[in-house]
Amino acid sequence: MIGTSNLGKSFGARTLFAGVSLSLSPGSRYGLVGANGSGKTTFLKILSGDEPASEGTVAITARARVGVLRQDLFLDDAQIILDLAMMGDETAWKLLRERTRIIDHGEGDAAHLGDIEHALQNAGGYTLEPRAGAILVGLGIPTSQHRLPLSTLSGGFKLRVLLARVLLGGPDVLLLDEPTNHLDILSIRWLEKFLASYRGTAIIISHDQRFLDNVTTHILDVDYETITSYVGNYGAFAIQKKATRERKESEIARQEKIIASKLAFVERFGAKATKAKQAQSRLKQIEKIEVEELAQSSRRAPLFRFTQERPSGREVLTIEHVSKSYGKKQVLSDVSLAIRRGEKVAIIGPNGLGKSTLLKIVMGRLEADGGETKFGYEVRASYFAQDHHELFDDPKMKPIDFVWNAIPTEATSYVRGQLGRMLFSGDDVEKPIMTLSGGEAARLIFARIIVEKPNLLVLDEPTNHLDLEAIFALTEGLRTFDGTVFFVSHDRFFVSEIATRIIEVMPEGVRDFPGRYTEYLEQCGDDHLDAEAIVLKAKKDKPAEGDAANTAWEEQKKRKNRISALPQKRDKVLMLVEEAEARKKAICAMYTAPGFFDRTPKAEQDSLEKESAELDKKIEVLMTEWEAIEAEIATSGGT
């Protein structure tokens, strides 16, 4: 379906990729991965014909229809949503418009109308509207909105209309640039199902690891200034790539060891007449050994190290009876929550139910219609907005000034160092914020959050524009953060790794679960964030619904009580360790006292020696217990 031969793209002296020869077949779904700026979007643009290659060629099967989802393409706000979607099937749409023109305006003759009707039948024109409607509903746009102007939708939902338009066209080739951005959980699941049954060739850029694992059959890795194809989903690719790199590094190390050994022989015996012939032979052998030079990976991970200037009080955030409406649409109704120090709380659920609105109300960026929110004692909160522009007051401001404004007393070198950790170097810190990519803007906001040293992080879709390396690094940074995190995310990997408490927002209300996401799934038996609703336990193994709910919550209550008791238990174990070590130190002091062995009876010496050995065992057991408690505290998100 698609072939490339020695394809390359450069910008001046910088090469994105070169020598790319690929054969991409129908029925396969290729995940296009790589660091931000490595050339993924550029590669898609070359395939779609939007940008020329620097060298090489692209061949696509003749008459193949190509559907492209571009992140930078926007639609006419005055157009009707359903019409915009139907335009994706260009042939059927034009025939419908022609038929309407003839019937409504009496233009053309009956014979021509007959030809139009026949062509419509062949093109599936009579099913165009229901097909478009089904895709829109699948992407989370209800039927009641289909005949409204596009202007009635938010930016994220406008992109869904664009995606619907691309999918409806029935393309033979699908080129999708970040299709899951701005999709909620249900829409991501729908798209996964759609792509799983797609028979054409799909190339998809995504930074959602679970989406790639659920959808792709191959991975195209943009790295080392080329593009390499791997068979399997993202998880399989990560293992293969690591193994390949390690194998090459091992082979290079082996060859370098051989060269070093032969050189050592030459240096030691080269001057001796009896060994000169052998030394020359080894030099010739060295010349024949070709050591591969491994290219530098374009993968770079920022360093997220969140620290709090001082801990907050135990009660971090209280939300009491908060309600909010936009016109006639109520998105929040009587929401009450209490968040405590050290919790990492994930808000999940479909779009349009007020998740981002709740965060904005908490941060004072939006006023509630009713109720109130209160921060606890010594709470210092930092906010990551889904729309980065909310946080940039002056688009002409430079990154270095954006961070410096938060810490005006610090030296330039410190500010540059913090930006360097977020992969801003050299002139990057001086360019206007408005020129930054989505990933760069996200990293810049995190650079400022890090220097603010908050004890509460309020994050709205923090992974949306980050590449996979940055997402993994952010996950690790938040996992080791000893403050509190309150976040909205549709990234299933991210939620599973970070959250210690799940709040699911549903049309009928809020479900609050005090535990990790995997535990939440065990209770409800339905993976709301994954490709299919998977029942984890058969119904016959479940007690009655009411009993099951009560039992699950009793178990969660017991678990929560046990976790809350862990710090006290840890302190008690440490006290016993200190007592045992103090006694052992006292025994050692007796041994080293002048005349101890002369004045102390042998039986007492033996008793002390036995006690010292028992103390060693006791300390070892206590330290093992302490390590287990610390590990459980860390896993539970406690302090």
Side-chain angles (χ1 to χ4, degrees), residues 200-213:
T201 306
I203 305 174
I204 308 153
I205 297 175
S206 180
H207 296 142
D208 184 331
Q209 179 185 341
R210 192 73 65 84
F211 178 76
L212 290 171
D213 278 337

Side-chain angles (χ1 to χ4, degrees), residues 2 4 22 24-25 28-33 40 43-44 47 60 67-69 172-179 195 198 200-206 212 216 218 220:
I2 301 178
T4 68
L22 299 169
L24 310 181
S25 57
S28 296
R29 300 176 295 278
Y30 299 84
L32 186 59
V33 303
K40 302 186 298 295
F43 180 65
L44 279 195
L47 294 184
I60 299 179
V68 186
L69 176 67
D172 303 298
V173 176
L174 265 178
L175 306 177
L176 305 179
D177 190 354
E178 290 290 358
L195 291 173
Y198 176 64
T201 306
I203 305 174
I204 308 153
I205 297 175
S206 180
L212 290 171
T216 57
H218 299 73
L220 301 178

Side-chain angles (χ1 to χ4, degrees), residues 518-591:
T518 51
E519 297 166 336
Y520 179 62
L521 297 183
E522 288 174 6
Q523 178 188 314
C524 67
D526 184 4
D527 189 345
H528 294 262
L529 297 185
D530 217 334
E532 296 289 343
I534 303 172
V535 177
L536 300 179
K537 294 182 180 180
K539 289 182 180 179
K540 65 180 180 180
D541 294 333
K542 292 184 179 181
E545 188 174 342
D547 295 338
N550 291 334
T551 301
W553 280 105
E554 283 298 322
E555 290 175 357
Q556 287 304 316
K557 187 176 180 181
K558 289 177 183 178
R559 178 181 178 277
K560 197 171 182 180
N561 290 338
R562 189 185 79 251
I563 290 171
S564 65
L566 286 176
Q568 185 177 354
K569 187 177 179 181
R570 173 194 60 192
D571 296 342
K572 185 176 180 180
V573 170
L574 284 175
M575 182 182 72
L576 292 174
V577 170
E578 290 171 359
E579 288 176 357
E581 288 179 337
R583 175 58 181 159
K584 186 170 173 58
K585 186 176 180 181
I587 293 172
C588 290
M590 291 182 196
Y591 283 152

Side-chain angles (χ1 to χ4, degrees), residues 125-298:
Y126 295 114
T127 63
L128 181 58
E129 185 172 321
R131 285 190 286 125
I135 291 178
L136 287 170
V137 169
L139 292 174
I141 301 173
T143 305
S144 59
Q145 293 182 299
H146 290 183
R147 299 193 183 279
L148 298 177
L150 185 67
S151 59
T152 59
L153 298 180
S154 65
F157 278 90
K158 289 177 182 178
L159 285 174
R160 296 186 192 204
V161 177
L162 182 59
L163 177 56
R165 179 173 170 171
V166 173
L167 299 180
L168 187 69
D172 303 298
V173 176
L174 265 178
L175 306 177
L176 305 179
D177 190 354
E178 290 290 358
T180 61
N181 272 6
H182 307 290
L183 293 186
D184 59 22
I185 294 164
L186 299 178
S187 300
I188 290 172
R189 289 172 61 182
W190 180 89
L191 181 59
E192 287 176 342
K193 291 178 182 179
F194 180 93
L195 291 173
S197 62
Y198 176 64
R199 295 184 179 181
T201 306
I203 305 174
I204 308 153
I205 297 175
S206 180
H207 296 142
D208 184 331
Q209 179 185 341
R210 192 73 65 84
F211 178 76
L212 290 171
D213 278 337
N214 288 341
V215 167
T216 57
T217 61
H218 299 73
I219 295 293
L220 301 178
D221 180 38
V222 187
D223 201 2
Y224 307 119
E225 297 186 353
T226 189
I227 301 177
T228 307
S229 179
Y230 293 83
V231 176
N233 63 11
Y234 185 84
F237 147 74
I239 295 170
Q240 292 176 63
K241 182 176 181 179
K242 183 179 179 182
T244 300
R245 183 75 177 187
E246 289 176 349
R247 187 168 59 250
K248 287 182 178 180
E249 290 174 347
S250 177
E251 177 61 20
I252 289 171
R254 188 185 70 81
Q255 290 175 325
E256 288 176 341
K257 188 176 180 180
I258 293 172
I259 291 172
S261 174
K262 294 182 183 298
L263 281 176
F265 182 91
V266 172
E267 290 173 0
R268 185 173 180 183
F269 300 111
K272 292 187 177 182
T274 56
K275 301 285 186 180
K277 188 174 181 180
Q278 291 172 298
Q280 287 299 315
S281 174
R282 280 167 170 75
L283 282 175
K284 290 179 181 178
Q285 290 171 6
I286 291 171
E287 290 174 2
K288 292 179 181 179
I289 297 175
E290 294 183 5
V291 180
E292 181 183 356
E293 287 189 21
L294 289 183
Q296 189 70 27
S297 174
S298 60

